[in-house]
């Protein structure tokens, strides 16, 4: 983080605001929920086929993100 010229508060870049645990955990949880919905729907075989991979990706993402700084 760099210091802003006008204040003594550190300037937060866009990446610092996005790459935090809260928003990334929300994205991972949403991906897991989408995977479960894909697993339970009875209409499209393609969605059912990709449901396990989607849920697994969300779970791995959540596990990695839980190690990121606050």
């Amino acid at each position: 983080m760099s210091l802003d010229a006008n204040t003594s508060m550190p300037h937060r870049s866009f990446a610092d605001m996005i790459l935090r645990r809260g928003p990334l955990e929300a994205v991972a949880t949403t991906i897991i929920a989408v995977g479960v919905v894909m697993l339970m729907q009875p209409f499209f075989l393609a969605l059912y086929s990709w449901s396990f991979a989607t849920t697994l990706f969300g779970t791995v993402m959540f596990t990695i993100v839980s190690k990121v700084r606050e």
Side-chain angles (χ1 to χ4, degrees):
M1 281 193 282
S2 63
L3 290 178
D4 192 3
N6 298 328
T7 64
S8 62
M9 297 291 293
H11 181 269
R12 299 187 88 171
S13 68
F14 182 71
D16 285 339
M17 290 188 298
I18 296 298
L19 295 176
R20 287 189 348 217
R21 186 184 308 175
L24 291 177
E25 279 183 350
V27 169
T29 304
T30 303
I31 291 172
I32 293 169
V34 167
V36 171
V37 168
M38 288 167 59
L39 180 67
M40 290 193 268
Q41 61 83 31
F43 301 112
F44 301 107
L45 184 60
L47 290 179
Y48 179 78
S49 299
W50 282 97
S51 64
F52 177 74
T54 304
T55 306
L56 182 64
F57 175 74
T59 304
V60 169
M61 182 179 171
F62 189 87
T63 303
I64 293 170
V65 165
S66 66
K67 309 295 187 241
V68 174
R69 62 185 161 89
E70 274 296 320

